[in-house]
Amino acid sequence: MSILEKLDAVKDTVPHYWPIGAFIHHNPLKGFEHLNFKEALIKAQSIFGGKVYMDPDYYIDLYNEGKVKPEQLEKNLLRSLNESNLEKYADDAKTFMLDISPLWKGLRSYEELKVHEIDEELHTYLEANSIYMNTDTWIESLTEHMTLYEIHDALFGTSEKELIEKDVIEFIARFLDKQQTTLSMSDRDLGMFNTFKLYEDIDYVIDAEGYVKEALEKLKVEDVEKYFLTHILKLHGWAGYIKYRSEDKEYFPQQEHPSTMMDYMAVRLHFELKYMQKEDINNFDKLKAYIKENTPYAILKLLREKGKLTGTYNDAMEDHQDYQKILDAYVKDEINLNSLQVQLAKKSLPELNMSLIEFSNFANLLKKEEGFIWLKSLEDTYITEHVDEFTSLHTYDEKPLSSTIFCLDVRSEVIRRKIEESGPYNTYGAGGFLGIPISFVEFDKAHALALAPAIVKPQNIVFEIPIESHEDYNTKKGVNKTTKKVLTDLKNNPYTPYIMVEAIGWMFGVKLFGKTFFPEKTNKLFNNMKPKKPKTTFTLDKLTIKEIEKYIRRLHTNIINEVLTTQSDTVLTKDELYILWEHLVFNKDLCIKISPDIINKLKHAYHITGQDYEEQKEKLAMVGFTIDEQVMYLENLLNMIGLVKDFPKFVTISGHGSVSDNNPFESALDCGACGGSISLPNARALCMIGNKQEIREKLREKGINIPTETKFLPAMHVTTTDEITFYDTDILNASELELFMKIQQDFKKASLASREERALTLPNANQQEDLFIKTMDWSEPRPEWGLAGNMGVFAGPRDSCRHMELNNRLFLHSYDASIDNANADILTRIFNGPLVVGEWINLEHYFSTVDNKVYGAGSKVYHNVVSKIGVYNGNYSDLKIGLPTQSVLEEGKAYHEPVRLLTYMEAPLDTVAKAVENSIAKEFILNEWIRPIIIDKAAKKVYSYEFGEFIVIKEL
């Protein structure tokens, strides 16, 4: 294998890290999804360390609360025991898990060791089977995933790691910077490694791959793949971001400043060589020779580095006592403690008919299996309760006045329930981007937002354009831009504070103190200063070729005119500008006199060329949708949720987003299906499409008859406050508007009721008004619980779960299997979009909860935003992956309940099987990263997919 192939073989161990401005929830163990969930967690734990299940105490508390039913625990425990032919010890195993396991670590006690005799037979057995008897294996275990410089630091007390990682972070943070600093690194367009060569004065011709190969040879690395993985794990947040960039060729910062994982590896290995070359032990051959000559000392130093030596051994080492004797004493004590642990545990089970050696193996099996047993038992308890509720009989006959389509986001559950309780209304759930991926350019913005799941690349551009005058907006916007520039200069320029702080420092003071101590009043003050956006519409229809050519010609001639008048004092007529443009773009003869320097500048500095003309044509060809595309997207949405007949007077399509201040993780609270942005533009686009008469006529041909009087109206659901705002209501006539006013009032009441319910679960929110304060307060670390608590998804008719209080814990996707086709195309689309995103969200919350230090982001209190990419701790650290503690913990305890996504599908088993087979989600479905449950009402059976097969868990 080549060096590149070896790097490619291990780089997927870390998942993509999307920049925080478009935070994408992700499974931190994405690279392990080709393995079964249980097997993958064992492997991941061996690589990343940390926990993969909650501690036994956590599950035992849930058991005592009744959240884990005894029969589920006993069933799963028995299955595990059956595999080892130990089923007759089921009662003893249960006692062990409930009573002994929580105390297991505490049974290794030096104090107890003084008063208990150690069983010699057990001691001999444990010693013979311990890692300590093979020093080579022991050393290999102690140095697993350690770089040369880390081992050197451990053995010789140096601090190379701190110096190396600091230099690596400083370079990559500056190279990858997305204009957070005004003092940007030069020559970044050369690419990461070529820029690095200038940065470190590497003055010979070599590419990154060649440089890495040289470095590995100098370091005498034997297992290159393993060493690549070791280096990737050192800063796997930064590695994940570079991996994401390098694999997304359309990501503009990557186009502008290219980087690859090989570049990153070259940077890391360069600094390792740079700092290690001055040391005597500066490669692995020398290291092996040293360890071989000083084995007891080396093992003791590595044990100390791992925090495994007590004061007694440390003191003996400081006194330079015989290292072999110290190590022998350590090994003896470790075996004695392990023996004592087994003996004390066995003493708690006096009736258990096992020898101490048998019990030792029995206990080890239970400790290995208990995390998965507890997890599955908790999940099975919920599954049993939910299935009973989903399959109970409920009917709703009242014809609704309006139907509202919400995102399937768990945060829609309470507001949907309250709306349905407030009047003749029903609701539907769909993926937040509503099945219409768009590249959206907001009014007065120069960049496009990809409003679609991260795995989908929008092929259609939509511009928001004003349909009324907006002079007041332009005036206020101009003032705000000036203020923002002054504040930015003050922040980034090291000299301006001395001369400008007295002049404009009050601006900082008002916001800093006001938003902390008087957030409501301060927010109102600054809202009044904000420009009010004019009424807008969207460019939904395709441009004709003539329109495209006209727009590009106008753009080019405006640029030409600006350059001529400002840089050469040349004024041309409209016809002359056109002649010059044709010369530049089509290479036609030029019959007017223009400076060659200006011609050259227009071509090379301003890109007025034939190539640019063709590129702009391609871009503008992406604007809008064909009529057939518009029909397809609306038809797909209506079919997907089952709204194909009996249309009400109003169909509301609601986007959603979160509102909070001073929150780097704000995009994590917006719509995950829209790449961490709000989904209102998708809703507005579909409503505009749905209100077109020609679209309805074409849908009628496809069997979907939308009455003329039905109006599609977009809305926006703010998840922090549950406020719902309606848009584009100017399409309603007077009588329709009067009727719609009643709906708005009912929705306001529903919002109030939803806030009152949610305020009970949110810290420091005693009443519903407090939820508004949380959106404005700069010091608020938790504006809402967001997606914390998510535990499942239901795909089926709303009537099957409308009666259930699900407390914002399930994603709810409407689905009617009776209108799906034989190929299960509708359910496949649900799997490919919402289910994939749901799994990412669920598992990011899972792992951020079970071990926030390894898989999460730590506390927001210590975060600094770096390079507009993400956050790190203090002045430098790895990019923090996952979620902050404030998103999943409350007072240091788990608020989020980590379970896999319990995926309920109300459909025939054959339909589900077909959708799984067709879906990109097939791998993680069959490998049980989610828990598939099929409610097949036609067959009168409920199935669960477990251990590689469908089993019937309930007869209907």
Side-chain angles (χ1 to χ4, degrees):
M1 289 173 70
S2 69
I3 292 291
L4 180 59
E5 288 171 328
K6 289 178 180 179
L7 180 57
D8 286 343
V10 297
K11 70 179 183 180
D12 286 339
T13 303
V14 295
H16 282 161
Y17 179 102
W18 281 270
I20 201 165
F23 189 95
I24 305 296
H25 290 282
H26 61 278
N27 176 8
L29 300 186
K30 176 69 179 170
F32 298 83
E33 285 181 349
H34 62 286
L35 302 173
N36 177 268
F37 175 80
K38 184 180 174 184
E39 178 188 348
L41 264 57
I42 294 170
K43 184 172 182 180
Q45 191 169 31
S46 71
I47 292 174
F48 293 104
K51 299 186 299 182
V52 289
Y53 301 105
M54 297 296 283
D55 291 330
D57 298 45
Y58 173 80
Y59 295 113
I60 291 168
D61 286 344
L62 295 180
Y63 180 86
N64 292 332
E65 292 170 20
K67 287 190 173 182
V68 178
K69 295 299 183 187
E71 58 269 26
Q72 300 297 347
L73 175 62
E74 290 159 9
K75 176 193 71 174
N76 289 303
L77 182 55
L78 186 60
R79 180 185 177 92
S80 184
L81 294 172
N82 276 332
E83 292 172 357
S84 302
N85 297 315
L86 295 168
E87 59 273 13
K88 66 180 179 180
Y89 299 110
D91 291 340
D92 300 298
K94 183 179 177 183
T95 302
F96 180 93
M97 287 183 63
L98 290 171
D99 299 334
I100 299 172
S101 183
L103 310 172
W104 185 245
K105 289 181 181 178
L107 298 179
R108 298 180 84 254
S109 164
Y110 278 99
E111 291 302 313
E112 292 291 331
L113 199 57
K114 295 174 184 176
V115 296
H116 284 85
E117 277 192 31
I118 299 302
D119 185 272
E120 289 185 15
E121 188 179 2
L122 175 62
H123 185 282
T124 302
Y125 174 79
L126 293 178
E127 184 179 49
N129 288 276
S130 73
I131 198 172
Y132 311 128
M133 295 302 101
N134 187 323
T135 53
D136 289 342
T137 305
W138 194 6
I139 290 169
E140 187 179 341
S141 172
L142 289 171
T143 57
E144 182 83 3
H145 302 310
M146 288 181 75
T147 57
L148 177 66
Y149 57 83
E150 288 176 308
I151 299 170
H152 192 279
D153 284 353
L155 296 181
F156 304 110
T158 51
S159 54
E160 309 295 10
K161 178 177 180 176
E162 183 179 352
L163 297 170
I164 290 169
E165 301 300 358
K166 186 175 182 180
D167 279 0
V168 170
I169 293 167
E170 182 178 347
F171 172 76
I172 59 178
R174 290 183 62 193
F175 178 84
L176 299 172
D177 176 63
K178 293 172 65 179
Q179 298 179 325
Q180 181 170 345
T181 175
T182 53
L183 303 173
S184 62
M185 180 181 284
S186 60
D187 300 309
R188 290 192 291 163
D189 57 308
L190 298 174
M192 179 180 277
F193 182 65
N194 286 327
T195 306
F196 183 70
K197 285 166 67 176
L198 297 174
Y199 183 84
E200 279 291 300
D201 198 23
I202 300 170
D203 59 357
Y204 61 101
V205 177
I206 192 168
D207 61 9
E209 188 172 347
Y211 191 83
V212 167
K213 188 175 181 180
E214 279 187 9
L216 293 169
E217 289 170 355
K218 289 176 182 177
L219 292 169
K220 306 295 184 185
V221 174
E222 290 183 0
D223 190 335
V224 172
E225 273 187 48
K226 190 173 182 181
Y227 206 59
F228 278 157
L229 177 58
T230 295
H231 265 283
I232 287 172
L233 294 175
K234 297 303 107 178
L235 298 172
H236 65 279
W238 287 107
Y241 176 60
I242 293 168
K243 175 172 172 274
Y244 156 68
R245 280 172 53 105
S246 65
E247 294 178 2
D248 186 353
K249 304 306 179 187
E250 295 182 23
Y251 184 50
F252 182 71
Q254 173 69 8
Q255 296 172 347
E256 198 173 26
H257 309 131
S259 63
T260 67
M261 286 292 283
M262 189 63 74
D263 292 341
Y264 175 60
M265 201 56 59
V267 172
R268 291 196 58 85
L269 292 172
H270 169 83
F271 284 121
E272 182 167 24
L273 281 172
K274 178 178 177 178
Y275 282 96
M276 291 304 298
Q277 65 184 0
K278 67 182 187 297
E279 304 292 351
D280 293 332
I281 308 297
N282 53 21
N283 64 46
F284 279 100
D285 284 354
K286 292 178 181 178
L287 178 67
K288 283 182 182 177
Y290 176 84
I291 291 176
K292 189 173 183 179
E293 292 174 9
N294 304 274
T295 301
Y297 177 78
I299 292 177
L300 287 167
K301 293 289 279 187
L302 289 166
L303 287 169
R304 177 188 283 181
E305 174 66 20
K306 303 286 184 181
K308 295 185 177 183
L309 288 188
T310 61
T312 303
Y313 308 114
N314 282 317
D315 291 344
M317 289 183 70
E318 294 298 326
D319 293 340
H320 302 288
Q321 296 177 20
D322 186 321
Y323 296 121
Q324 186 62 60
K325 286 185 178 180
I326 298 171
L327 187 60
D328 289 343
Y330 171 83
V331 170
K332 183 179 180 181
D333 278 351
E334 286 297 299
I335 301 296
N336 283 340
L337 287 169
N338 290 341
S339 301
L340 176 69
Q341 185 181 43
V342 173
Q343 289 174 225
L344 293 178
K346 177 69 168 60
K347 196 175 180 179
S348 301
L349 294 167
E351 305 299 321
L352 179 59
N353 184 24
M354 276 186 183
S355 69
L356 283 171
I357 292 175
E358 290 173 329
F359 177 71
S360 174
N361 294 328
F362 181 63
N364 287 336
L365 171 69
L366 292 175
K367 290 302 293 180
K368 178 184 174 184
E369 297 288 327
E370 67 177 342
F372 182 76
I373 291 170
W374 276 120
L375 173 67
K376 188 171 183 301
S377 301
L378 175 60
E379 293 168 348
D380 288 346
T381 301
Y382 277 120
I383 289 169
T384 301
E385 293 172 353
H386 285 156
V387 165
D388 287 345
E389 289 275 12
F390 288 139
T391 55
S392 61
L393 293 176
H394 289 81
T395 55
Y396 305 91
D397 298 326
E398 187 176 14
K399 181 174 172 60
L401 174 61
S402 84
S403 295
T404 304
I405 303 168
F406 282 93
C407 178
L408 78 160
D409 191 297
V410 294
R411 292 168 292 177
S412 299
E413 188 271 330
V414 172
I415 188 67
R416 288 178 63 181
R417 182 160 31 92
K418 299 301 181 183
I419 285 171
E420 289 163 345
E421 291 170 0
S422 69
Y425 313 119
N426 63 11
T427 66
Y428 294 84
F433 80 117
L434 302 164
I436 182 167
I438 59 176
S439 188
F440 181 68
V441 183
E442 187 180 354
F443 168 66
D444 202 27
K445 295 288 193 302
H447 62 281
L449 284 173
L451 301 184
I455 55 177
V456 176
K457 295 293 182 186
Q459 299 301 310
N460 301 81
I461 300 172
V462 172
F463 287 88
E464 183 182 27
I465 56 176
I467 54 175
E468 64 178 10
S469 62
H470 47 283
E471 288 79 7
D472 180 61
Y473 177 88
N474 289 342
T475 302
K476 283 190 174 182
K477 192 72 174 177
V479 172
N480 282 0
K481 281 182 177 178
T482 303
T483 304
K484 183 177 180 182
K485 184 180 187 305
V486 172
L487 294 176
T488 303
D489 287 345
L490 177 59
K491 178 181 177 183
N492 292 314
N493 192 313
Y495 305 110
T496 49
Y498 294 105
I499 59 174
M500 297 180 67
V501 71
E502 291 183 2
I504 64 170
W506 64 273
M507 293 183 183
F508 286 104
V510 170
K511 276 204 170 186
L512 178 61
F513 295 105
K515 287 214 166 193
T516 303
F517 297 109
F518 311 103
E520 196 168 9
K521 291 181 179 178
T522 307
N523 193 64
K524 187 175 182 180
L525 168 66
F526 281 94
N527 276 343
N528 290 335
M529 295 171 63
K530 284 182 182 177
K532 184 180 179 182
K533 185 191 285 189
K535 288 182 181 179
T536 60
T537 189
F538 290 173
T539 56
L540 291 175
D541 296 322
K542 283 286 184 189
L543 298 170
T544 65
I545 293 297
K546 285 187 177 180
E547 286 173 324
I548 290 172
E549 291 173 344
K550 176 184 174 183
Y551 288 142
I552 300 171
R553 184 172 69 246
R554 185 185 299 169
L555 169 68
H556 280 175
T557 52
N558 283 343
I559 292 172
I560 293 168
N561 188 51
E562 182 72 16
V563 172
L564 290 173
T565 55
T566 59
Q567 299 184 34
S568 71
D569 294 326
T570 303
V571 178
L572 298 182
T573 65
K574 188 175 180 181
D575 288 340
E576 289 172 328
L577 285 171
Y578 184 64
I579 290 169
L580 176 54
W581 175 75
E582 285 193 313
H583 169 71
L584 293 167
V585 172
F586 301 118
N587 205 29
K588 290 190 176 182
D589 292 340
L590 185 61
C591 57
I592 54 177
K593 190 174 181 181
I594 301 293
S595 160
D597 288 342
I598 290 295
I599 294 285
N600 189 57
K601 183 175 285 189
L602 287 168
K603 284 184 175 179
H604 297 101
Y606 294 94
H607 307 290
I608 312 298
T609 63
Q611 180 182 349
D612 183 73
Y613 179 71
E614 294 302 324
E615 288 176 359
Q616 297 294 347
K617 281 175 66 176
E618 286 180 20
K619 288 181 182 178
L620 287 178
M622 294 174 66
V623 173
F625 304 86
T626 65
I627 293 299
D628 287 342
E629 285 176 329
Q630 293 179 43
V631 171
M632 174 192 71
Y633 283 123
L634 185 58
E635 179 189 14
N636 284 349
L637 175 67
L638 297 176
N639 276 329
M640 191 178 291
I641 63 175
L643 180 58
V644 294
K645 59 183 180 180
D646 299 327
F647 286 85
K649 177 71 176 173
F650 303 103
V651 175
T652 305
I653 304 180
S654 178
H656 75 98
S658 178
V659 176
S660 58
D661 217 335
N662 191 30
N663 182 12
F665 287 87
E666 182 176 10
S667 63
L669 299 175
D670 284 332
C671 181
C674 286
S677 299
I678 66 170
S679 50
L680 175 61
N682 305 68
R684 286 191 71 190
L686 271 174
C687 286
M688 290 177 191
I689 291 170
N691 286 323
K692 290 184 177 182
Q693 194 56 40
E694 59 184 322
I695 301 296
R696 295 190 182 190
E697 288 172 4
K698 287 185 175 292
L699 283 175
R700 196 171 293 117
E701 295 170 9
K702 295 173 176 286
I704 300 176
N705 186 10
I706 303 175
T708 305
E709 61 271 16
T710 294
K711 294 294 192 298
F712 286 81
L713 292 168
M716 173 69 176
H717 172 215
V718 177
T719 56
T720 32
T721 62
D722 277 322
E723 285 184 300
I724 295 177
T725 305
F726 296 93
Y727 290 81
D728 301 339
T729 54
D730 51 348
I731 67 168
L732 303 179
N733 60 37
S735 61
E736 289 171 335
L737 192 57
E738 184 178 352
L739 187 58
F740 193 70
M741 291 285 285
K742 170 68 169 62
I743 295 174
Q744 287 180 297
Q745 290 301 315
D746 287 342
F747 275 46
K748 281 185 179 179
K749 292 175 186 175
S751 293
L752 172 62
S754 183
R755 284 194 295 274
E756 288 177 340
E757 181 173 321
R758 288 199 308 110
L760 299 175
T761 66
L762 200 58
N764 305 315
N766 300 316
Q767 51 193 352
Q768 59 97 13
E769 289 86 356
D770 294 334
L771 301 186
F772 289 94
I773 303 298
K774 283 178 174 288
T775 67
M776 313 167 193
D777 189 346
W778 273 24
S779 63
E780 176 55 62
R782 189 186 288 110
E784 58 165 290
W785 272 122
L787 294 152
N790 80 85
M791 63 176 299
V793 57
F794 174 75
R798 174 62 175 157
D799 285 359
S800 294
C801 61
R802 184 170 171 174
H803 59 286
M804 299 168 66
E805 288 193 12
L806 295 166
N807 302 309
N808 278 359
R809 300 203 63 188
L810 263 67
F811 299 95
L812 300 174
H813 200 300
S814 299
Y815 171 66
D816 185 350
S818 68
I819 63 173
D820 210 344
N821 60 22
N823 202 41
D825 285 340
I826 296 174
L827 190 57
T828 301
R829 286 200 298 272
I830 293 174
F831 282 5
N832 286 347
L835 188 61
V836 170
V837 174
E839 189 244 19
W840 291 358
I841 291 169
N842 172 264
L843 290 171
E844 181 163 54
H845 280 78
Y846 178 101
F847 290 110
S848 293
T849 304
V850 298
D851 199 324
N852 195 268
K853 183 178 179 181
V854 174
Y855 300 109
S859 173
K860 288 182 179 181
V861 174
Y862 308 108
H863 288 168
N864 282 317
V865 176
V866 54
S867 305
K868 291 188 179 178
I869 295 170
V871 296
Y872 60 14
N873 283 344
N875 293 326
Y876 72 96
S877 79
D878 194 8
L879 282 180
K880 307 307 289 183
I881 67 170
L883 299 166
T885 54
Q886 286 83 0
S887 293
V888 292
L889 307 181
E890 182 180 7
E891 302 296 330
K893 295 183 178 180
Y895 172 82
H896 177 76
E897 202 170 81
V899 294
R900 288 172 289 177
L901 197 69
L902 312 181
T903 306
Y904 305 98
M905 294 153 281
E906 188 172 316
L909 180 61
D910 289 345
T911 302
V912 175
K914 192 70 175 178
V916 171
E917 194 61 36
N918 295 339
S919 174
I920 62 173
K922 177 181 177 180
E923 184 175 69
F924 73 67
I925 293 174
L926 296 182
N927 283 328
E928 298 179 69
W929 290 81
I930 65 171
R931 293 288 310 276
I933 300 99
I934 299 92
I935 302 169
D936 188 342
K937 290 188 174 179
K940 296 187 176 181
K941 286 179 170 60
V942 179
Y943 303 89
S944 175
Y945 185 76
E946 301 178 19
F947 304 106
E949 61 179 343
F950 288 102
I951 61 170
V952 176
I953 59 171
K954 183 175 182 177
E955 300 273 359
L956 301 179

